[in-house]
Amino acid sequence: MKRLLRLALTKGRLETKLLGLLRRAGVDTAPLGDKGRRLIHPLPDAGVEVVLAKAPDVITYVEHGVCDLGVVGKDTILECGQSFYEVLDLRFGACRFALAVREGEDFFGTYRHRRVASKYPNVAGDWFAAQGLDVEIIRIEGSVELAPLLGLADAIVDIVETGATLRANGLVPVADICPVSARLIVNLAAMKMKRAPVQAFVALCRAGLEGD
Ligand code: PRP
């Protein structure tokens, strides 16, 4: 039997979108329809077995070579990714990183000490450093929109898709940082040692994108 590549797939929204894309490319995704509590799912039509994982773990598995391929958001790549190939923009999961403040707040017009809360402290820190602005970054794990409402921070750096979460909490975006979408990543060694099956999976994804 042909050996399957191992694909780490971010569970949730990116999982649903990738399966849709593979179906458009003619792949039978039924094995992932009834998952139960299993975490590894063979998808022979696509030449992969799928490991469902949280986004930062997708990067860990691919970097360590226990998975050959990964599907993960550019947000997670910017925050914690380093050594792998980013081979394809899958276009789904499209949103942006933005800086947001409480409505009426003049974030840029003050010289006082400013605190910025984010689930993405590296992305936020890099952006402020590039702007030449000295701010304190506070790492938050949950709903970062709470930080300005509780008085913990003057602003947040977070992902904005529709803007509904910001609006619902009286926050407004004041700067766009960068766009974000799902990416296909490949382990460095797998790109050389398993070139043909890796290229076949990339081609499958491209076919799904064209059928979009
Ligand atoms: C993200 C982000 C915002 C929300 C933005 O959270 O942190 O809270 O989506 O989307 P919107 O602009 O369409 O309102 P997500 O739902 O991914 O959950 P998370 O907090 O677990 O990251």
Side-chain angles (χ1 to χ4, degrees):
M1 200 179 99
K2 201 172 72 169
R3 269 195 71 168
L4 300 176
L5 294 176
R6 200 173 281 154
L7 167 73
L9 172 57
T10 305
K11 54 186 167 187
R13 271 178 285 189
L14 299 192
E15 169 191 346
T16 309
K17 291 284 188 183
L18 182 80
L19 295 184
L21 182 144
L22 291 177
R23 274 194 295 276
R24 285 196 297 280
V27 171
D28 175 12
T29 62
L32 266 147
D34 180 22
K35 296 194 290 280
R37 296 194 68 81
R38 270 183 310 125
L39 295 169
I40 304 184
H41 308 272
L43 215 52
D45 270 12
V48 296
E49 59 178 8
V50 177
V51 175
L52 292 172
K54 286 201 170 185
D57 295 344
V58 167
I59 289 185
T60 303
Y61 297 153
V62 172
E63 283 189 339
H64 283 79
V66 296
C67 291
D68 305 299
L69 304 157
V71 170
V72 65
K74 182 72 176 176
D75 51 329
T76 310
I77 293 175
L78 289 171
E79 183 61 23
C80 56
Q82 286 183 26
S83 45
F84 45 76
Y85 295 107
E86 185 185 315
V87 295
L88 194 59
D89 182 349
L90 295 165
R91 304 207 290 255
F92 52 74
C95 46
R96 68 189 202 274
F97 270 122
L99 174 71
V101 300
R102 267 192 304 194
E103 207 160 0
E105 173 109 12
D106 185 9
F107 182 83
F108 293 108
T110 176
Y111 288 104
R112 70 179 166 77
H113 180 75
R114 283 160 295 187
R115 288 184 300 191
V116 177
S118 186
K119 276 183 271 187
Y120 302 87
N122 295 328
V123 171
D126 289 350
W127 186 76
F128 279 105
Q131 307 299 308
L133 293 173
D134 186 22
V135 304
E136 179 189 350
I137 308 287
I138 300 177
R139 185 192 186 106
I140 291 288
E141 290 295 336
S143 297
V144 73
E145 296 84 1
L146 266 175
L149 305 183
L150 297 177
L152 175 66
D154 303 289
I156 62 170
V157 165
D158 199 20
I159 283 171
V160 178
E161 189 181 354
T162 61
T165 309
L166 292 182
R167 280 193 297 279
N169 291 288
L171 304 173
V172 288
V174 287
D176 279 351
I177 294 179
C178 67
V180 163
S181 58
R183 306 296 158 101
L184 178 63
I185 63 174
V186 180
N187 170 263
L188 297 177
M191 190 65 127
K192 294 188 183 69
M193 312 296 287
K194 304 178 183 177
R195 191 163 191 91
V198 165
Q199 295 297 3
F201 187 78
V202 174
L204 201 60
C205 289
R206 282 192 202 283
L209 282 174
E210 275 157 24
D212 213 352

